[in-house]
C-alpha cells in the first residue's frame, strides 16, 4: 500500500509493507519515500529538512542511486552523495517506491576510519623521523623492514638475515641492539651499505613481548647520521685547530727567542696528532736543509735524511714509511717561497697519519713559515749586533762574551791559549793625510790578513778604531809567536802601499800566554796583552812583545 495509510503493518495476504503516520518520528536520522519518477517525501522532520536543503543536482544524483537499487529489487546499504556523512538503507516497496533511511555512520565505521587515520599518521611519523623501520625475532633475524629498504639494500635483501651480517663491527654488543630486552633511546651503530661503504645509524628500539610477557624480538627505527657525525668531527677538528693555532700564535708572539717558539709549535702539533716526535727544518741559502727545532723521540737518521732531501728538492709534501717509522712532512712558506718544513713521525705500528691529522699539520706549517723567517731575521739582527760592519770581524762586546764563555767551559778552559793585542801605528796620520776612505781600506786589508793567518776556531775582532785582538785556543808559546810573526810579515808586504815615508803604517803587537791552571780572568788577560802592545809601541813600533806572566798572591807564574 502507498503512503498515507493510518497504520504500519505487514499485510498477510499481499505481503506488502504499509506505513502509518508518525511511524518514523523517533528514527535517529532522515526517513524518505522516493517515487519512481524521483520525487521524494519526507517521512519525519529530518527527512523533510533534507529535502528542503538538497540542491537539485544533488537530489538528481541521489534519485539515480535509488533508481538503481529499485531496478535490482534488493534492499541495499550505501553511502549516498546526498549526505556523505550518512549511511543509507534503501528498501524497495511493492508499489515501486523506495523507503530510504539515512543515519550517521555506525560506530564500527567510525572506529575503522579512526584506525585507518591512526595508522596513516603513525606511518607518516615513522617515515619523517627515520630512514627505515625494522623488526627482528628473538635471535636477531630481520622479520620486517620498511618497504623502501635501507642504505642501498632492498627490503627483500635484508629480510630473513641476521642483523649481525650487516654490521661493520659485528660484536655481541653491537648486535645486541637488534634483539634488545630493554628500551634504547639513542645508540650509534655502524652499518654496511650495499655499495661496501659504512654508515653511522642512530637507533631507537624497544623489545617485543608475546602474550605471556616473554621476549620474542625487537623493533625499532634507524636514522642515517653519517653526515651529521662527519660534520661533528669536522667541527671538532676545526675547534682543535683553532685552539692549537691560538696557542702557537700566542707562543710565537710572547716568546722572545723565535727558536723556542719553533720548539713550542712542533711539540703542540705533535701532541695534537699523536706523533712520537717532530722537527722543524730550515732551508739554507745553498738549497739544503738544517734542523731548527726538535721535539719528542728521535727518529732514525736515515728517515730524517730522506725527508730532508725530498723537501730540499722542492717537494711540498712527503709521506712515507721507512725503517719502522711513519713520517710526514710539509713544506713551510714565507712570501710565496719555501723556507723550510715541518716533520712529524711515529712508530709504524701506530699507523700513518690520517687526512684530518695532515690538515692540522698543514695549518701549523703555514704559520711556521712566518716563525722560521722570524728566526732568520732574529739571527741577522743578532749577527749585526756582534759584527763590526766595516771589517766583518767580531766587535768588542761579542769578542768579550765569547772569550768569557770559552774560558768558563770545561772543555776549552783546561787548554792553554794565547791572546794577541794589535794596534796599527801612525793610523791617525793616514786618515789626516789621505782621508778616511784610505783609512777604511787599510783596516779592511788588515782584517783580511788576520783572517788568512788564523784558524776558523780562533776569535778575531776589531775592538774599535785601529785596535784588533785575536784569541788562539790550544797553542803554546812557540806556536803563538810563530803565528804573530807571520801576521807581522804579511802586514809588512802591505806597508809600502799605504801610509807615507814620514809616517809608515805598521802594527804593534802584545802577546799574553794563558795558563789554564792560573784561574786568570778574561779581563785580566786582555789587560796584560794590552800592556805588552804599548811596550811594543814604546820600543819603536812595528814589533812584538810578550806580556809579563800572570801573578797570583804576588808570585809571577810563567806562561
Amino acid at each position: 500500500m502507498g503512503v498515507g495509510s493510518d497504520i504500519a503493518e505487514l499485510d498477510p495476504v499481499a505481503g506488502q509493507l504499509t506505513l502509518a503516520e508518525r511511524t518514523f518520528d523517533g528514527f535517529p536520522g532522515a526517513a524518505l519515500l522516493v517515487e519512481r519518477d524521483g520525487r521524494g517525501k519526507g517521512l519525519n522532520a529530518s527527512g523533510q529538512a533534507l529535502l528542503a536543503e538538497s540542491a537539485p543536482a544533488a537530489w538528481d544524483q541521489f534519485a539515480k542511486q535509488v533508481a538503481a537499487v529499485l531496478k535490482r529489487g534488493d534492499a541495499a546499504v550505501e553511502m549516498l552523495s546526498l549526505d556523505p556523512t550518512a549511511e543509507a538503507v534503501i528498501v524497495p516497496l511493492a508499489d515501486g517506491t523506495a523507503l530510504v533511511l539515512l543515519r550517521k555512520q555506525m560506530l564500527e565505521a567510525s572506529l575503522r576510519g579512526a584506525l585507518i587515520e591512526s595508522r596513516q599518521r603513525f606511518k607518516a611519523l615513522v617515515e619523517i623521523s627515520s630512514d627505515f623501520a625494522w623488526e627482528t625475532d628473538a635471535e636477531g633475524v630481520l622479520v620486517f623492514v620498511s618497504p623502501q629498504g635501507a642504505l642501498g639494500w632492498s627490503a627483500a635483501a635484508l629480510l630473513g638475515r641476521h642483523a649481525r651480517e650487516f654490521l661493520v663491527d659485528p660484536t655481541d654488543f653491537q648486535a645486541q641492539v637488534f634483539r634488545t630486552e630493554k628500551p634504547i633511546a639513542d645508540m650509534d651503530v655502524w652499518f654496511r651499505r650495499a655499495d661496501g661503504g659504512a654508515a653511522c645509524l642512530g637507533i631507537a628500539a624497544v623489545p617485543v613481548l608475546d602474550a605471556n610477557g616473554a621476549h620474542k624480538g625487537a623493533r625499532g627505527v634507524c636514522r642515517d647520521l653519517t653526515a651529521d657525525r662527519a660534520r661533528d668531527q669536522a667541527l671538532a677538528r676545526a675547534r682543535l685547530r683553532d685552539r692549537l693555532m691560538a696557542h702557537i700564535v700566542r707562543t710565537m708572539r710572547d716568546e722572545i727567542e723565535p727558536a723556542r717558539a719553533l720548539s713550542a709549535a712542533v711539540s703542540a702539533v705533535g701532541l695534537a696528532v699523536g706523533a712520537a716526535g717532530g722537527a722543524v727544518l730550515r732551508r739554507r741559502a745553498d738549497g739544503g736543509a738544517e734542523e731548527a727545532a726538535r721535539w719528542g723521540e728521535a727518529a732514525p737518521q736515515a728517515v730524517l735524511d730522506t725527508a730532508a732531501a725530498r723537501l730540499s728538492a722542492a717537494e711540498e709534501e712527503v709521506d712515507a714509511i721507512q725503517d719502522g717509522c711513519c713520517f710526514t712532512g710539509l713544506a713551510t712558506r714565507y712570501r710565496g717561497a719555501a723556507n723550510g718544513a715541518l716533520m712529524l713521525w711515529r712508530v709504524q705500528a701506530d699507523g700513518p697519519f690520517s687526512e684530518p691529522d695532515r690538515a692540522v699539520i698543514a695549518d701549523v706549517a703555514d704559520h711556521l713559515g712566518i716563525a722560521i723567517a722570524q728566526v732568520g731575521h732574529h739571527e741577522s739582527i743578532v749577527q749585526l749586533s756582534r759584527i763590526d760592519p766595516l771589517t766583518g770581524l767580531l766587535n768588542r762586546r761579542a769578542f768579550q762574551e765569547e772569550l768569557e764563555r770559552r774560558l768558563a767551559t770545561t772543555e776549552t778552559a783546561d787548554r792553554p791559549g794565547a791572546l794577541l793585542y794589535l794596534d796599527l801605528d801612525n793610523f791617525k796620520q793616514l786618515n789626516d793625510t789621505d782621508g778616511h776612505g784610505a783609512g777604511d781600506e787599510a783596516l779592511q786589508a788588515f782584517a783580511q790578513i788576520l783572517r788568512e793567518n788564523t784558524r776558523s776556531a780562533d776569535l778575531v775582532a776589531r775592538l774599535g778604531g785601529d785596535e784588533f785582538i785575536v784569541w788562539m785556543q790550544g797553542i803554546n808559546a812557540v806556536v803563538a809567536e810563530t803565528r804573530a810573526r807571520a801576521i807581522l810579515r804579511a802586514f809588512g808586504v802591505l806597508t809600502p802601499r799605504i801610509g807615507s815615508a814620514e809616517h809608515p803604517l805598521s802594527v804593534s803587537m802584545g802577546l799574553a800566554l794563558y795558563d789554564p791552571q792560573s784561574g786568570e780572568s778574561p779581563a785580566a788577560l786582555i789587560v796584560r796583552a794590552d800592556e805588552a802592545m804599548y811596550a811594543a809601541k814604546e820600543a819603536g813600533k812595528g814589533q812584538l812583545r810578550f806580556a809579563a806572566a800572570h801573578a797570583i798572591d804576588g808570585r809571577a807564574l810563567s806562561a
Side-chain angles (χ1 to χ4, degrees):
M1 184 177 292
V3 179
S5 299
D6 294 335
I7 59 173
E9 60 180 4
L10 182 63
D11 186 336
V13 178
Q16 296 179 357
L17 181 67
T18 61
L19 303 176
E21 293 184 3
R22 305 185 63 83
T23 300
F24 299 102
D25 286 352
F27 179 70
L32 300 170
L33 184 67
V34 181
E35 302 288 347
R36 293 180 179 180
D37 58 3
R39 290 180 297 115
K41 178 181 179 181
L43 301 180
N44 59 8
S46 297
Q48 294 168 4
L50 182 62
L51 282 173
E53 296 170 358
S54 298
W59 180 264
D60 289 344
Q61 182 64 30
F62 167 70
K64 290 179 180 179
Q65 289 183 273
V66 174
V69 174
L70 287 173
K71 185 177 181 180
R72 292 197 301 269
D74 296 325
V77 178
E78 293 191 3
M79 301 295 297
L80 299 181
S81 60
L82 190 63
D83 185 358
T85 65
E87 185 179 61
V89 178
I90 305 173
V91 181
L93 301 179
D95 60 357
T97 61
L99 174 64
V100 181
L101 302 176
L102 287 84
R103 64 172 180 171
K104 298 300 181 181
Q105 293 183 36
M106 293 182 293
L107 178 61
E108 293 81 358
S110 298
L111 291 176
R112 184 167 56 250
L115 179 60
I116 293 173
E117 182 181 358
S118 177
R119 293 183 62 182
Q120 290 175 337
R121 182 184 300 113
F122 176 76
K123 180 176 181 292
L125 289 173
V126 169
E127 289 177 348
I128 64 175
S129 64
S130 64
D131 289 298
F132 70 98
W134 53 268
E135 184 172 334
T136 59
D137 63 15
E139 301 301 322
V141 175
L142 293 164
V143 296
F144 168 79
V145 177
S146 299
Q148 73 273 18
L151 305 176
W153 300 99
S154 66
L158 296 170
L159 290 174
R161 298 173 65 179
H162 201 291
R164 182 186 292 110
E165 298 180 37
F166 301 95
L167 297 179
V168 174
D169 180 19
T171 60
D172 288 340
F173 175 75
Q174 296 279 328
Q176 186 65 32
V177 178
F178 291 92
R179 47 189 178 92
T180 182
E181 297 184 4
K182 61 181 180 179
I184 296 175
D186 187 20
M187 181 175 179
D188 286 0
V189 172
W190 284 92
F191 205 86
R192 289 191 299 107
R193 296 181 181 274
D195 61 7
C200 181
L201 297 181
I203 294 182
V206 294
V208 177
L209 307 178
D210 61 18
N212 297 320
H215 179 264
K216 69 170 188 177
R219 64 170 61 103
V221 292
C222 293
R223 190 166 188 83
D224 189 351
L225 302 179
T226 309
D228 295 337
R229 294 296 179 261
R231 183 171 58 253
D232 292 343
Q233 291 177 357
L235 289 174
R237 290 195 298 270
R239 294 191 189 100
L240 172 63
R241 287 199 297 270
D242 289 344
R243 291 196 298 270
L244 182 62
M245 296 315 304
H247 169 73
I248 292 174
V249 170
R250 183 169 57 252
T251 301
M252 291 169 59
R253 180 193 63 201
D254 298 339
E255 183 58 64
I256 297 176
E257 288 287 340
R260 292 181 181 176
L262 292 179
S263 297
V266 69
S267 66
V269 68
L271 292 172
V273 301
V280 178
L281 304 182
R282 291 176 58 191
R283 186 181 292 275
R284 298 192 302 265
D286 61 3
E290 62 184 9
E291 190 174 292
R294 172 71 71 91
W295 164 81
E297 299 177 8
Q301 190 59 45
V303 171
L304 299 180
D305 292 343
T306 299
R310 291 175 61 178
L311 291 167
S312 297
E315 289 191 36
E316 292 291 323
E317 182 175 349
V318 174
D319 285 289
I321 298 176
Q322 180 179 332
D323 296 339
C325 181
C326 296
F327 67 89
T328 186
L330 287 173
T332 61
R333 307 185 73 82
Y334 180 68
R335 293 182 176 177
N339 65 347
L342 171 61
M343 284 183 54
L344 293 161
W345 54 81
R346 59 190 177 201
V347 295
Q348 185 174 349
D350 292 338
F353 292 94
S354 65
E355 287 300 326
D357 290 340
R358 282 194 284 269
V360 173
I361 297 170
D363 286 344
V364 177
D366 289 341
H367 287 269
L368 282 186
I370 301 174
I372 291 173
Q374 289 178 337
V375 170
H377 296 329
H378 177 76
E379 291 178 348
S380 298
I381 293 173
V382 171
Q383 186 72 0
L384 289 173
S385 69
R386 294 169 54 85
I387 298 298
D388 173 59
L390 178 63
T391 62
L393 302 178
L394 294 176
N395 59 25
R396 178 187 293 272
R397 188 183 74 174
F399 177 84
Q400 290 175 335
E401 291 176 351
E402 185 62 21
L403 181 61
E404 289 175 358
R405 187 189 67 79
R406 292 195 182 189
L407 295 185
T409 303
T410 303
E411 181 180 353
T412 53
D414 292 339
R415 301 170 61 191
L419 188 70
L420 187 61
Y421 203 110
L422 310 95
D423 184 271
L424 295 182
D425 303 317
N426 301 319
F427 183 73
K428 183 178 183 304
Q429 288 79 3
L430 174 64
N431 276 336
D432 292 343
T433 56
D434 294 349
H436 289 284
D440 289 347
E441 291 179 5
L443 294 174
Q444 291 170 342
F446 185 50
Q448 184 60 31
I449 289 173
L450 294 179
R451 291 192 191 92
E452 293 173 352
N453 289 274
T454 54
R455 301 165 301 177
S456 59
D458 296 335
L459 299 178
V460 183
R462 179 189 177 199
L463 299 180
D466 58 354
E467 293 184 334
F468 295 79
I469 195 167
V470 177
W471 166 253
M472 296 173 285
Q473 185 80 39
I475 61 175
N476 56 28
V478 175
V479 177
E481 182 178 3
T482 301
R483 296 277 183 81
R485 296 198 181 282
I487 294 173
L488 276 175
R489 289 193 299 273
F491 194 77
V493 176
L494 180 65
T495 299
R497 292 186 284 133
I498 55 178
S500 63
E502 297 80 11
H503 303 286
L505 194 64
S506 59
V507 59
S508 294
M509 302 181 181
L511 183 61
L513 301 176
Y514 172 72
D515 183 353
Q517 303 302 320
S518 68
E520 184 178 16
S521 67
L525 181 63
I526 292 174
V527 168
R528 286 200 300 122
D530 186 25
E531 291 174 349
M533 182 271 295
Y534 275 105
K537 281 185 175 293
E538 293 174 356
K541 301 180 180 180
Q543 300 181 34
L544 170 66
R545 286 289 185 269
F546 280 85
H550 176 60
I552 299 180
D553 298 331
R555 295 179 292 107
L557 297 178
S558 173

